[in-house]
Amino acid sequence: MIRKYRYGTPFDTEALTEKIETTKGVLPYGEVSQEEGFVFTYIMDEDDIVYGLGEANRGINKRGYCYISNCTDDPVHTEDKRSLYGAHNFIVVSGKSTFGLFFDYPSKLTFDIGYDREDTLKVSCENADLDIYVLEGENAYDIVKQFRHVIGRSYIPPKFAFGFGQSRWGYTTKEDFRTVAKGYRENHIPIDMIYMDIDYMQSFKDFTVSEENFPDFPEFVQEMNDQSIRLIPIIDAGVKVEPGYEIYEEGVKNNYFCKREDGSDFVAAVWPGDTHFPDMLNPEARKWFGDKYRFLIEQGIEGFWNDMNEPAIFYSPEGLAEARELAGEFAKDTEGKTHPWEMQDKMLSIANDPEDYKRFYHNVDGKKIRHDKVHNLFGYNMTRAAGEAFERIDPEKRFLMFSRSSYIGMHRYGGIWTGDNKSWWSHILLNLKMLPSLNMCGFLYTGADLGGFGADTTRELLLRFLALGVFTPLMRNHSATGTREQECYQFENIEDFRAVINTRYRLVPYLYSEYMKAALSDDMYFKPLGFVYPDDKRAIRVEDQLMLGNEIMIAPVYEQNARGRYVYLPEEMKFVKFLPDGSISEEILAKGIHYVDVASNEVPLFIRNGKCIPVAEAAECVKDIDTEHLQLIGYENSSYTMYEDDGIRKDYDKKENYRVFTKYRLTLKKHCLNKRIKGKNSQC
């Protein structure tokens, strides 16, 4: 059951796709104060678990810290960071009382979940203009599925997007991309995508291609396509201020850019230098910007990633003027009136200064709305602009799209990657813990920068990161310029990387099937163990293992120099390892705690009792995966229903998209591992 409670005059975020009438009366849980802005307070039971918040720091259970929902461009995700790139205001309290809360509020929102007082959940914001949705159900998982239903179907990517992708900020010329393609293809490491960061553009201008480096861009796109590799370019939020640049000229002429209070176009510095931000909350401006993706689509591009769309601000002219003034005072100061620390703080805070977000406005139905009041909606609506345009450009075709900044609702138009992480071991675990929380908020197509974006990776770290990425819908190796090159062929014993990525392609039939089932039924792809085993007191406290789909559990290794790890099995399971020689080991383990050996070139998973999964032979691109000849691994006398479509079009609901496979025990043989299955309703 879902009820809506309204306070003040909320901004319509369009997060929900179903209309829910406002309920009169007070919230059934906690207390609300509107004396100073808005404050919701709830006293938690000692054993309560709090799930949710999507892309947030720390654990699956959010108790014990303070989080701020405020889309923030900050690449250094240490434990003390309270805001990351997304704003996902959905939580579930599970325990003595079990209920869900969605705070539909597009500005800065603070979740103190046992930080100030260990037993107190406090949610607060500056203005009492918001809708709160209260959800009740049989358990936390049931509440999540209800929420998923009312926010609309999750984005469904093309099937090639389940392949492996290589990215690096620094690929600039055709030769750079050819070198990457050659490195993977000659070493027979599977790959489907190479990403194009900002250097492919002409002077960092959106919807342009460098004339010097790509004079024949459509032909180059086709050259890559001929190798079954798709180029995926980046699109940034800022439009360069440059007379003669068509998009700039059109935006100025039609008043499509965000404005200062005096009506002039707001200026902020990002990669191109001075830029304007398209007014993504203005439907006309949003349509205009979305239609610009056609420029690259008509040259053969089938996927994009949106970036810098918090929006990131390096500085504004106003902020820079303030810094210069202080610097001038500091330079003339002979009496020590201006402390060096004051100067330092000013220079460090010039980027993404909260004051800058108060300096520009959106046009919403003819009304001026100051940006900071709706800040968390910018990235959402930038990706929405693209998603709506794709429907106009080719309504039957799926395009790859994912974003950095997001709000609930954007999940209908694209996925997200978890931003500019670091080459830190702790970030494997952090990214693992984000996955079910993101799924709760509708974001199914997601993944991390494998190997870490910032800092220098190591061979072992990359292998372990990739072993997690085997299971995430988005599997991308991405790194920053100036860091160690981390393409898989850059390291010794390339065959180890080939083996790990081969495992991904062998599992694509299962992973794609479970993704589609989750998307089409408003379900989760990744789940905390407590959602599947709610009565198991140990399972609900496990933070480094996840359920994937309905058949498997994953437990990646995330510590340096580890040769394995401890796992908790809530029931008997089959421990499966994909080995570097292409074979698969299987061992039944009893319920309880086990230490399992996992080498850095092996990929482990656990199959639930009575279940099986389909596995393909390795292929070097998704289109070459043979789904007519599969093997079933897992328990004898079990069945699996596999979803498969063409991966291109949107005819999702056809009955023929489903096939049932059964793994029978053969009396004349000890087992039927590695037996082939073929065709519809086949049996092993």
Side-chain angles (χ1 to χ4, degrees), residues 238 266-277 308 312-317 320 350-352 356:
F266 176 72
V267 178
V270 203
W271 293 120
D274 286 351
T275 63
H276 294 328
F277 292 136
M308 306 293 287
I313 296 176
F314 293 170
Y315 60 84
S316 69
L320 186 60
I350 195 170
N352 305 311
D356 283 335

Side-chain angles (χ1 to χ4, degrees), residues 217-227 229 231 299-300:
F217 188 63
E219 288 80 3
F220 183 62
V221 173
Q222 186 60 50
E223 177 187 325
M224 291 292 104
N225 284 348
D226 290 342
Q227 301 178 58
I229 294 174
L231 296 174
Q299 299 184 70

Side-chain angles (χ1 to χ4, degrees), residues 494-518:
I494 293 173
E495 64 271 16
D496 290 343
F497 293 89
R498 182 188 308 122
V500 172
I501 299 176
N502 273 346
T503 301
R504 164 60 167 227
Y505 282 71
R506 300 187 71 183
L507 288 171
V508 162
Y510 174 74
L511 301 176
Y512 181 77
S513 174
E514 291 305 298
Y515 183 98
M516 294 300 296
K517 291 177 191 176

Side-chain angles (χ1 to χ4, degrees), residues 363-378:
N363 175 10
V364 182
D365 298 326
K367 298 179 180 179
K368 287 171 53 177
I369 305 290
R370 201 173 76 190
H371 173 80
D372 65 304
K373 305 295 184 183
V374 290
H375 172 72
N376 293 333
L377 301 181
F378 190 94

Side-chain angles (χ1 to χ4, degrees), residues 245-256 288 292:
Y245 172 33
E246 181 182 27
I247 296 175
Y248 164 75
E249 299 278 8
E250 289 178 2
V252 171
K253 178 182 178 182
N254 294 292
N255 287 312
Y256 287 153
W288 164 76
K292 297 302 176 183

Side-chain angles (χ1 to χ4, degrees), residues 28-317:
Y29 303 95
E31 296 181 354
V32 169
S33 170
Q34 299 180 72
E35 293 181 2
E36 297 182 10
F38 175 90
V39 179
F40 165 84
T41 305
Y42 175 78
I43 304 303
M44 297 180 288
D45 187 74
E46 182 180 5
D47 293 327
D48 283 350
I49 291 175
V50 181
Y51 298 103
L53 295 185
E55 186 183 22
N57 217 339
R58 303 218 172 189
I60 294 174
N61 183 359
K62 292 296 185 288
R63 286 193 71 159
Y65 199 58
C66 183
Y67 311 86
I68 298 176
S69 187
N70 188 47
C71 300
T72 303
D73 173 24
D74 185 345
V76 187
H77 303 166
T78 48
E79 285 189 29
D80 61 325
K81 297 300 169 66
R82 299 187 177 187
S83 299
L84 299 182
Y85 296 106
H88 309 133
N89 305 335
F90 175 53
I91 60 173
V92 176
V93 178
S94 178
K96 186 175 182 179
S97 296
T98 297
F99 57 94
L101 296 169
F102 172 47
F103 297 85
D104 195 5
Y105 183 73
S107 188
K108 182 178 178 181
L109 188 66
T110 299
F111 291 83
D112 179 338
I113 309 178
Y115 175 75
D116 190 43
R117 288 184 57 86
E118 193 173 53
D119 67 347
T120 303
L121 164 65
K122 185 168 71 174
V123 183
S124 57
C125 54
E126 185 177 272
N127 299 309
D129 294 306
L130 73 164
D131 286 325
I132 300 178
Y133 295 85
V134 179
L135 300 92
E136 295 172 318
E138 296 178 4
N139 48 44
Y141 186 24
D142 176 53
I143 288 169
V144 169
K145 287 192 285 187
Q146 290 184 58
F147 182 65
R148 290 290 315 285
H149 181 73
V150 299
I151 62 174
R153 176 176 287 178
S154 295
Y155 161 75
I156 296 176
K159 194 172 183 178
F160 75 76
F162 287 79
F164 173 74
Q166 179 61 55
S167 183
R168 182 173 173 86
W169 174 21
Y171 298 158
T172 302
T173 67
K174 287 191 290 186
E175 288 310 309
D176 292 334
F177 292 93
R178 284 169 175 156
T179 297
V180 175
K182 181 180 179 181
Y184 278 92
R185 288 288 182 245
E186 287 192 349
N187 287 290
H188 301 289
I189 305 171
I191 189 170
D192 270 85
M193 294 158 286
I194 303 176
Y195 291 82
M196 309 184 80
D197 214 312
I198 55 176
D199 295 300
Y200 81 91
M201 302 178 193
Q202 187 74 39
S203 302
F204 306 128
K205 293 184 290 188
D206 278 343
F207 310 110
T208 68
V209 177
S210 169
E211 296 175 358
E212 177 182 357
N213 294 328
F214 303 97
D216 51 354
F217 188 63
E219 288 80 3
F220 183 62
V221 173
Q222 186 60 50
E223 177 187 325
M224 291 292 104
N225 284 348
D226 290 342
Q227 301 178 58
S228 298
I229 294 174
R230 288 170 168 87
L231 296 174
I232 310 296
I234 194 172
I235 302 294
D236 278 350
V239 172
K240 183 176 175 62
V241 176
E242 180 180 284
Y245 172 33
E246 181 182 27
I247 296 175
Y248 164 75
E249 299 278 8
E250 289 178 2
V252 171
K253 178 182 178 182
N254 294 292
N255 287 312
Y256 287 153
F257 296 127
C258 293
K259 304 289 187 181
R260 293 187 177 97
E261 189 171 14
D262 65 5
S264 62
D265 292 324
F266 176 72
V267 178
V270 203
W271 293 120
D274 286 351
T275 63
H276 294 328
F277 292 136
D279 187 353
M280 297 300 178
L281 299 187
N282 177 344
E284 292 182 5
R286 189 166 63 238
K287 180 179 182 300
W288 164 76
F289 189 83
D291 285 340
K292 297 302 176 183
Y293 287 82
R294 185 186 296 271
F295 167 77
L296 290 165
I297 290 172
E298 290 180 344
Q299 299 184 70
I301 296 299
E302 298 177 75
F304 304 86
W305 53 301
N306 286 346
D307 200 2
M308 306 293 287
N309 54 352
E310 292 71 34
I313 296 176
F314 293 170
Y315 60 84
S316 69

Side-chain angles (χ1 to χ4, degrees), residues 338-456:
T338 303
H339 199 283
W341 290 351
E342 184 182 355
M343 188 68 231
Q344 180 183 359
D345 288 345
K346 183 63 179 178
M347 298 310 298
L348 289 174
S349 65
I350 195 170
N352 305 311
D353 184 348
E355 292 302 310
D356 283 335
Y357 295 110
K358 299 177 182 178
R359 291 183 168 120
F360 64 99
Y361 293 78
H362 298 271
N363 175 10
V364 182
D365 298 326
K367 298 179 180 179
K368 287 171 53 177
I369 305 290
R370 201 173 76 190
H371 173 80
D372 65 304
K373 305 295 184 183
V374 290
H375 172 72
N376 293 333
L377 301 181
F378 190 94
Y380 159 21
N381 280 280
M382 179 182 173
T383 298
R384 177 183 178 181
E388 291 175 340
F390 298 157
E391 290 288 332
R392 295 189 294 272
I393 294 168
D394 193 340
E396 295 302 315
K397 183 176 180 176
R398 301 183 225 171
F399 290 87
L400 173 59
M401 166 56 68
F402 59 90
S403 170
R404 192 168 78 178
S405 177
S406 60
Y407 186 86
I408 292 171
M410 200 208 79
H411 70 284
R412 301 189 293 271
Y413 303 100
I416 58 174
W417 94 104
T418 50
D420 297 342
N421 61 359
K422 294 286 188 180
S423 301
W424 296 342
W425 285 93
S426 62
H427 277 188
I428 298 179
L429 185 57
L430 173 61
N431 294 136
L432 174 78
K433 292 178 179 181
M434 286 182 182
L435 294 169
S437 302
L438 286 165
N439 280 199
M440 288 174 62
C441 299
F443 294 96
L444 299 185
Y445 190 77
T446 185
D449 284 344
L450 302 176
F453 176 75
D456 293 328

